[in-house]
Amino acid sequence: MRIVVTGGQGFIGRQVVPAATEQGDDVHVLDLADGCDVRDADSTRAALAGADVVVHLAAKVGVEQGLDDVADYVSHNAVGTSVVLAAAAACGVPRVVLASSMVVYGDGIARCAEHGEVRPAPRRAVDLREGRFEPPCPTCGAALSPMLVGEDVPADPRSGYALTKACQEQLAELWARQSDGSVVALRFHNVYGPGLPRDTPYAGVAAIFRSAVLSGQAPVVTEDGAQRRDLVHVRDVARACVVAAHTDVVAPGTLRAYNVGSGTVRTVLDLATVMSDAAGGPPPVVSGQGRLTDVRHITASSERAARELGWRATEDFAAGVRELLSEPG
């Protein structure tokens, strides 16, 4: 099988390429680091000629720092994806594996004692300033109990980055209908592991904590540290991509979404503490400060991927953290 991996030199791509190669696939990489910009229609179409599957990982990742960033996210993620899909249609590629994200769910879903399952109300700057971090019931304002999110929960993006990931899915669904191709949209959770990006304001929480603890500093945890996340190892994510590239369970003309997480809920403070302990450094510092673009809780069930794709995360979390901290800087 000929697989084209966009973003093949990125954090996840560097694990997908060898994983697919080991399966016997003929893997080709399209990456900005090689001067191959997926937004260039001619070079992208040339790269996709003869492909059986496109694993589309190329994207600008991480939550934006402000409104000035949003145009760049739209350019790389929305425009870039539209060019890749147009090339896939022109080349007759029958399947696309799309790197989506759990950020499309916004603050997910939660249960109110009175009103049942609800979408948490949007967070307000005044609440964050005054230390009220838990989003309330949108109907009665009562406290909520976070729930695992399933793939059929409608998207509710609450940042510019999240909007572009949701847009990628919508564009891919349009491509599937018009080209009669199939799309497997993998909604990655918080990915960590070797090669994790560092020293960038757009890095994820694991990367930020890693930089701190390896410098002998205490990791700084935003809000009160009780934010719920699912940390999934990059090798598990790469394996999900390869499984998705080979699956026939998604019917032509359709997009099917799958959550890709470890299945274990951890708080941000839990992660910071594990990393501090593993590095033998000072304990985390809880800042009490937050950003409107950060979601409070987002953890999802990955049972659909287990049931339909035969995929489950298998990497051990503690071993993965030790590996991450032992990686040469």
Side-chain angles (χ1 to χ4, degrees):
M1 179 179 289
R2 187 178 194 272
I3 299 178
V4 174
V5 181
T6 73
Q9 289 203 46
F11 170 44
I12 295 173
R14 288 198 300 271
Q15 299 289 337
V16 171
V17 170
T21 302
E22 289 171 9
Q23 291 285 324
D25 294 316
D26 178 22
V27 183
H28 297 259
V29 170
L30 182 62
D31 196 282
L32 190 60
D34 296 323
C36 301
D37 192 330
V38 296
R39 293 169 294 181
D40 183 274
D42 291 338
S43 61
T44 298
R45 183 177 296 191
L48 268 57
D52 299 298
V53 182
V54 176
V55 178
H56 182 39
L57 303 174
K60 184 175 176 65
V61 300
V63 175
E64 71 276 5
Q65 299 296 296
L67 289 174
D68 288 345
D69 285 344
V70 173
D72 205 27
Y73 279 86
V74 171
S75 178
H76 283 276
N77 299 355
V79 175
T81 296
S82 69
V83 174
V84 169
L85 294 171
C91 296
V93 179
R95 181 176 304 148
V96 170
V97 177
L98 175 67
S100 187
S101 171
M102 52 83 185
V103 297
V104 301
Y105 297 120
D107 268 299
I109 57 173
R111 184 167 297 281
C112 172
E114 181 177 353
H115 296 100
E117 186 176 305
V118 299
R119 300 303 294 259
R123 307 180 82 186
R124 303 185 307 164
V126 64
D127 291 331
L128 296 182
R129 287 196 302 269
E130 296 179 2
R132 295 189 296 270
F133 301 121
E134 293 289 350
C137 174
T139 302
C140 67
L144 298 174
S145 300
M147 299 172 61
L148 296 181
V149 183
E151 290 88 348
D152 292 331
V153 170
D156 186 22
R158 298 189 176 182
S159 69
Y161 170 59
L163 281 165
T164 64
K165 298 308 286 186
C167 180
Q168 285 183 311
E169 289 196 19
Q170 292 171 331
L171 289 166
E173 189 168 25
L174 176 66
W175 171 84
R177 289 199 306 268
Q178 294 190 354
S179 71
D180 204 34
S182 63
V183 179
V184 183
L186 300 178
R187 293 172 178 166
F188 302 151
H189 282 256
N190 292 82
V191 186
Y192 75 100
L196 188 68
R198 66 194 73 165
D199 300 325
T200 165
Y202 306 98
V205 64
I208 294 170
F209 291 166
R210 177 188 187 274
S211 295
V213 300
L214 290 183
S215 300
Q217 301 173 0
V220 178
V221 177
T222 60
E223 301 182 17
D224 58 1
Q227 308 96 303
R228 290 159 51 102
R229 298 291 188 269
D230 182 324
L231 281 295
V232 60
H233 197 281
V234 66
R235 284 194 293 269
D236 281 326
V237 170
R239 188 163 47 82
C241 290
V242 176
V243 169
H246 286 266
T247 189
D248 291 321
V249 302
V250 180
T254 65
L255 176 148
R256 186 77 166 158
Y258 296 90
N259 294 325
V260 176
S262 71
T264 300
V265 175
R266 292 182 170 86
T267 70
V268 173
L269 182 57
D270 288 340
L271 172 63
T273 301
V274 168
M275 295 183 75
S276 292
D277 290 347
V285 173
V286 177
S287 74
Q289 299 179 346
R291 297 189 305 170
L292 278 176
T293 50
D294 291 335
V295 298
R296 177 63 175 175
H297 304 298
I298 183 61
T299 54
S301 169
S302 298
E303 286 305 306
R304 177 185 285 182
R307 185 173 63 251
E308 297 184 7
L309 302 180
W311 174 91
R312 285 189 185 274
T314 60
E315 296 284 339
D316 179 75
F317 177 68
V321 169
R322 291 193 298 270
E323 177 188 28
L324 179 63
L325 296 181
S326 65
E327 187 180 16

